Amino acid sequence: MYNKISGSWLKHWDFMLLDMIFLQIAYIFSYMVRNGFNNLYENRVYLNIGIFICLLDLCAAFFLEDYRGIMRRDSFMELKAVIKHVFMVCIFVLAYLFLSKSSEEFSRVSFVVFSVSSVGILYVERCLWKLYLLKYKKIHYMKKALLILTTSDIAEEVVRTAEKNTYNELLLIGIVLADRDDLVGNDLCGEKVVCRMEDLHDYIQTKWVDGILVNVSDQYHVPSQLVTQCTQMGVTVHIKISEIGEDAGNQELEKIAGYVVVSTGIGASSPGELFAKRVIDIAGALVGLVCTGILSIFVIPAVKLSSPGPVIFKQTRIGRNGRKFEMYKFRSMYLDAEERKKALMERNQMHGNMFKMYDDPRIIGSGPDGRRHGLGWFLRKTSIDEFPQFWNVLKGDMSLVGTRPPTVDEWEKYEHHHRGRLAMKPGLTGMWQISGRSEITDFEEIVKLDMEYIKNWNIGLDLQILWKTVGVVLRGKGSG
């Protein structure tokens, strides 16, 4: 799933929080200039305006897209952005005072001081915070892993330009040369040549790669099939503007790593849609964690009595575009489940890169015959074992709705077209779960459902899947 780095303003929550705090500092300062060292929040009008300023700050950030490209702005551009931000806040404060008929109770001197001091305070705050982030390479969001496809004659220039313009948003993970195979394994400008162009698809198959920057010399042509296949694998392809072709897919014009590019991805989402999805995830995760805490009172002693060992099962899973993360569940299997899995592979009822057994003897209480009874089957039938994953959702490793995160051994067996299902963040539920997961035994059918979800994703579809998931869980349909 493709989304612009520059357009994802939510990632700059640190700037949003600092702006909100320093606007309040400017507000308090403006009050003290006129009224001395008194608590302005004891005054109802000033309290309401203070709250209103916080809301206006968020609205300005959203509608003005004030944080788009903030790390790339120079001092003068930042000053203009701050003036525009403060101007919008002040205009609506005036409108509020007029409509609420509170203008006579609010000092004009305080308003003027607030308007002027806000510009100065926010400008200094943003500039200092940017200097800190750039100097110490601090970020508060997940970087994008970028692979560079170029030619040997311009490789040095491309790498230096990209490194100069990453602004801590991009992680350069290597170079692929389109015109030379003899430099694989060598370093160019501090970046390793990771593979031949012919092996590009095999390389990104099992690596964390979010995007590929394509910038080759004019006399060289990148095959259109390469762009199409990378896109189908869920990797966003950023082609330098002079290389625009007629490749199918969602295309966006943007600036990345110092170059104006056309970005082609498997799907597209706006910053507003991603913001709404994340808000829903956080709200759902908080509710889910409360339920997890309540369930823990009963589940922890039950699991301990049934099978000694840790109650929480932790396993490395593969997330969006190959990122690895630790996924959490209430343990419903015996401790040696992973070791016994190899011996049971011949009884796997799934066709493809997944493992599933109807009668699984590794599940707590199932007995040697694997009959579906006991505590483990109850946890899986009711989906109670999945509740700790709400912590993964809150952390941002997972979403409420997405695709099933594969295990490392499943991922390593993927074919190229399977990787496309990793283009979105994995989820607690998804198309596969509401389609009767136990009844689907063909992995290719699961991939088809996941790709349908990714290509047609919208907030409405997520809400629809969540609603259907509730019914599926309550009926116990397709679990186990």
Side-chain angles (χ1 to χ4, degrees):
M1 176 64 69
Y2 166 71
N3 62 285
K4 288 186 179 181
I5 293 178
S6 60
S8 185
W9 59 271
L10 182 60
K11 68 184 181 182
H12 292 302
W13 62 267
D14 49 343
F15 282 97
M16 294 172 61
L17 180 60
L18 286 171
D19 279 359
M20 190 176 296
I21 292 172
F22 279 90
L23 273 177
Q24 288 299 309
I25 291 175
Y27 184 53
I28 294 171
F29 172 73
S30 67
Y31 179 84
M32 289 183 174
V33 169
R34 179 66 177 83
N35 300 287
F37 291 90
N38 297 312
N39 183 4
L40 81 164
Y41 298 114
E42 291 179 348
N43 185 299
R44 181 184 59 82
V45 173
Y46 282 87
L47 173 62
N48 291 343
I49 293 296
I51 297 172
F52 193 53
I53 287 173
C54 291
L55 297 176
L56 287 174
D57 183 53
L58 292 176
C59 291
F62 183 80
F63 291 108
L64 295 179
E65 296 185 332
D66 197 32
Y67 303 108
R68 172 178 290 185
I70 190 170
M71 298 299 295
R72 295 185 289 276
R73 292 201 290 252
D74 59 27
S75 300
F76 181 68
M77 292 174 64
E78 192 59 60
L79 179 60
K80 291 197 299 182
V82 168
I83 291 173
K84 184 168 68 171
H85 186 98
V86 172
F87 178 76
M88 179 178 176
V89 171
C90 291
I91 285 295
F92 279 93
V93 167
L94 284 176
Y96 174 82
L97 290 171
F98 174 76
L99 294 174
S100 63
K101 299 180 180 179
S102 305
S103 57
E104 293 183 0
E105 302 176 52
F106 194 87
S107 169
R108 292 169 177 78
V109 173
S110 294
F111 179 81
V112 172
V113 173
F114 169 72
S115 303
V116 175
S117 61
S118 293
V119 172
I121 290 176
L122 259 62
Y123 177 70
V124 173
E125 164 253 307
R126 290 189 184 185
C127 289
L128 290 177
W129 188 242
K130 282 196 288 186
L131 286 174
Y132 169 77
L133 295 177
L134 292 172
K135 181 177 180 179
Y136 294 101
K137 299 185 183 302
K138 300 284 187 178
I139 60 170
H140 304 286
Y141 51 87
M142 194 169 291
K143 288 186 176 183
K144 300 281 187 180
L146 186 71
L147 189 65
I148 296 176
L149 174 58
T150 184
T151 46
S152 56
D153 57 333
I154 62 171
E156 184 174 341
E157 175 194 346
V158 173
V159 171
R160 286 180 177 173
T161 301
E163 289 179 339
K164 184 179 178 181
N165 293 275
T166 58
Y167 298 101
N168 290 339
E169 296 177 333
L170 300 171
L171 176 65
L172 302 184
I173 58 174
I175 306 170
V176 177
L177 295 177
D179 60 337
R180 292 184 64 175
D181 297 337
D182 59 318
L183 294 177
V184 174
N186 295 332
D187 284 352
L188 288 178
C189 301
E191 298 295 334
K192 187 177 180 179
V193 180
V194 295
C195 69
R196 303 180 305 166
M197 192 174 77
E198 291 77 10
D199 302 326
L200 177 61
H201 298 119
D202 293 328
Y203 177 80
I204 66 177
Q205 177 69 26
T206 54
K207 297 292 188 298
W208 168 25
V209 182
D210 292 302
I212 300 174
L213 172 63
V214 179
N215 184 5
V216 297
S217 53
D218 294 336
Q219 65 269 25
Y220 197 90
H221 176 69
V222 175
S224 60
Q225 310 93 279
L226 182 141
V227 176
T228 301
Q229 190 167 359
C230 286
T231 302
Q232 290 173 346
M233 294 175 71
V235 177
T236 301
V237 180
H238 309 282
I239 306 176
K240 190 182 176 225
I241 196 70
S242 60
E243 297 290 332
I244 296 176
E246 297 180 355
D247 302 304
N250 294 277
Q251 296 188 331
E252 293 284 347
L253 186 68
E254 64 173 324
K255 187 173 183 179
I256 185 170
Y259 294 98
V260 178
V261 299
V262 170
S263 301
T264 305
I266 197 171
S269 55
S270 68
E273 289 173 324
L274 293 177
F275 173 70
K277 184 175 178 67
R278 186 60 183 149
V279 168
I280 293 172
D281 283 347
I282 292 173
L286 292 175
V287 174
L289 287 173
V290 171
C291 296
T292 304
I294 297 172
L295 290 170
S296 297
I297 299 172
F298 307 98
V299 173
I300 290 176
V303 173
K304 283 285 187 182
L305 290 172
S306 302
S307 174
V311 175
I312 298 296
F313 173 68
K314 183 172 66 172
Q315 186 181 46
T316 300
R317 292 292 183 106
I318 306 301
R320 182 181 177 186
N321 287 330
R323 294 179 177 90
K324 292 182 179 179
F325 70 97
E326 298 295 327
M327 190 183 78
Y328 305 96
K329 300 177 71 173
F330 283 128
R331 184 166 61 86
S332 61
M333 291 187 172
Y334 293 109
L335 290 176
D336 61 349
E338 288 301 306
E339 290 74 16
R340 295 169 64 185
K341 178 180 176 180
K342 297 177 182 178
L344 297 169
M345 285 302 295
E346 60 182 22
R347 295 169 59 184
N348 184 15
Q349 294 172 291
M350 290 293 297
H351 303 292
N353 299 321
M354 287 180 66
F355 179 83
K356 198 171 187 66
M357 287 180 60
Y358 186 77
D359 294 322
D360 194 335
R362 301 175 302 157
I363 296 177
I364 296 174
S366 60
D369 58 356
R371 287 190 306 163
R372 300 167 68 86
H373 60 75
L375 175 65
W377 283 112
F378 173 75
L379 294 177
R380 296 164 73 88
K381 183 74 174 177
T382 57
S383 296
I384 290 176
D385 63 322
E386 309 281 354
F387 271 76
Q389 291 173 45
F390 281 111
W391 176 244
N392 289 117
V393 175
L394 187 63
K395 287 172 59 182
D397 297 326
M398 297 177 65
S399 177
L400 292 178
V401 183
T403 60
R404 174 189 173 273
T407 60
V408 175
D409 61 318
E410 292 172 351
W411 180 52
E412 290 174 345
K413 298 173 185 175
Y414 272 16
E415 297 178 18
H416 291 164
H417 70 282
H418 295 152
R419 194 189 188 281
R421 67 186 298 270
L422 300 177
M424 281 195 76
K425 194 180 291 184
L428 280 175
T429 185
M431 296 289 286
W432 175 48
Q433 286 85 342
I434 65 172
S435 301
R437 62 190 184 192
S438 292
E439 300 167 8
I440 301 176
T441 59
D442 189 350
F443 179 65
E444 295 297 334
E445 183 64 25
I446 294 173
V447 173
K448 182 180 178 181
L449 288 170
D450 288 339
M451 296 304 292
E452 177 186 341
Y453 168 74
I454 292 172
K455 290 177 180 178
N456 299 293
W457 177 79
N458 57 65
I459 292 296
L461 180 59
D462 272 9
L463 296 176
Q464 183 180 356
I465 291 173
L466 286 172
W467 175 252
K468 290 185 177 180
T469 299
V470 174
V472 169
V473 171
L474 291 177
R475 294 194 302 271
K477 181 181 177 181
S479 59

